[in-house]
Amino acid sequence: MTNKGTGLGVSFDYHAHSTYSDGGDITAMARQAADAGLDGIGFADHCNVTDPELSSHEVYSLHETYEARREEIRAAGECVDIRLFDAVELDFDPEAIGRLERFLEDAGFDFALGSVHHVEGRNVMHPPSTGQLSDAERTQLVDAYFEVVVTLIESELFEVVSHLDVPTRNPYLRGLPEREQYERVASALSRSRTVPEINLGRVLTPDAALHPDPAFLDVFDEAGTTFVVGTDAHSPGQVTARLDAAAGVLEDLPVDIVDGPAPFL
Ligand SMILES: [Zn+2]
Ligand SMILES: [Zn+2]
């Protein structure tokens, strides 16, 4: 599963952030991806079109800036010899599927990542929003999170579903996801066009974690799930550093990973 002998294990990164949310300069990110030996990188900036507070925040405002970003991606494409994708990491809201669908149709991105960061008004990645919860409430929040992920997959709105078990980034929720919840997700994926992501956002942390947790990847292997890989890089250096850190790991994972352009491209 190597590419061009670089040993990266993948040739496309489907999830990177630019200055149009909380990431790095588009041309610098593209150059870094090209230098790393990738054949393509997708700019999937944060976007929220359903929560009034978040949608007006500059980090989540790609709905207002995607046309300018599109032009910048096009210009950056003249500086590198790899494919650059005009993508989005869109917050999913199960109560607003129609609005999300209209936005995606209007914007016409190359592909869309669907993400669940907030459940029941709480940021599931953010320790302060969950630290005061009882054990029962934490368990319930994690279950509600997986329910929303299943609804995201069943909505058929997205080419990719990001970081399937992102509550494990939160020390208060880590260890709570259960096999049965991963099985529900794998079952939904087996009936959907949506492709899940191996997310490298935490690969350089001390526990070298991946999303989804490799301890549950056998569930996806049994379901025949194929993954794409996203660095979730927020700076040019993170593209290379995370791919380097993951290189040997990705090859040993017991699931299929798309090495090259995914079917939706
Ligand atoms: Zn995310
Ligand atoms: Zn991201």
Side-chain angles (χ1 to χ4, degrees):
M1 207 185 296
T2 55
N3 83 334
K4 296 183 192 167
T6 61
L8 286 175
V10 288
S11 52
F12 282 67
D13 175 3
Y14 290 85
H15 186 163
H17 291 272
S18 81
T19 51
Y20 284 80
S21 57
D22 50 359
D25 175 76
I26 286 175
T27 304
M29 303 277 291
R31 284 212 167 100
Q32 193 67 222
D35 290 349
L38 289 179
D39 295 329
I41 184 168
F43 293 100
D45 283 302
H46 287 293
C47 186
N48 186 300
V49 296
T50 50
D51 178 310
E53 200 176 319
L54 288 174
S55 63
S56 60
H57 192 292
E58 63 177 351
V59 168
Y60 291 90
S61 294
L62 190 69
H63 51 288
E64 290 169 358
T65 59
Y66 68 84
E67 284 161 318
R69 192 192 65 163
R70 192 164 286 166
E71 178 53 30
E72 213 174 300
I73 291 173
R74 192 202 58 72
E78 293 175 1
C79 306
V80 292
D81 193 22
I82 64 171
R83 293 174 73 183
L84 307 182
F85 298 104
D86 171 26
V88 62
E89 181 180 9
L90 183 62
D91 283 351
F92 179 68
D93 178 348
E95 306 297 323
I97 288 175
R99 206 175 335 157
L100 295 170
E101 184 172 22
R102 282 192 297 281
F103 168 66
L104 288 171
E105 271 179 24
D106 287 350
F109 295 108
D110 291 332
F111 60 88
L113 278 67
S115 287
V116 180
H117 299 116
H118 301 85
V119 176
E120 299 177 347
R122 293 179 197 281
N123 182 336
V124 294
M125 301 183 302
H126 190 52
S129 78
T130 48
Q132 306 301 318
L133 298 177
S134 69
D135 287 352
E137 286 168 331
R138 289 177 204 179
T139 300
Q140 190 275 331
L141 184 66
V142 168
D143 199 56
Y145 167 83
F146 281 102
E147 270 308 307
V148 177
V149 169
V150 166
T151 307
L152 181 162
I153 294 163
E154 290 176 343
S155 78
E156 299 288 356
L157 288 178
F158 302 97
E159 280 77 15
V160 177
V161 53
S162 318
H163 44 55
L164 286 175
D165 53 3
V166 82
T168 63
R169 284 192 195 184
N170 181 338
Y172 292 108
L173 303 178
R174 199 166 295 160
L176 293 181
E178 292 179 0
R179 179 163 292 266
E180 184 269 329
Q181 289 157 336
Y182 289 92
E183 286 170 352
R184 268 162 36 208
V185 171
S187 170
L189 286 168
S190 73
R191 288 177 268 114
S192 172
R193 74 179 181 119
T194 303
V195 178
E197 168 198 49
I198 303 279
N199 180 288
L200 305 183
R202 283 181 63 224
V203 73
L204 285 171
T205 59
D207 57 351
L210 296 179
H211 300 287
D213 183 341
F216 297 102
L217 280 178
D218 60 304
V219 169
F220 297 96
D221 184 38
E222 272 172 38
T225 312
T226 299
F227 288 79
V228 294
V229 171
T231 60
D232 213 345
H234 288 71
S235 68
Q238 283 180 350
V239 177
T240 318
R242 290 180 179 178
L243 286 169
D244 281 349
V249 180
L250 290 174
E251 290 191 358
D252 291 337
L253 295 180
V255 288
D256 289 332
I257 297 175
V258 177
D259 182 20
F264 52 76
L265 289 175

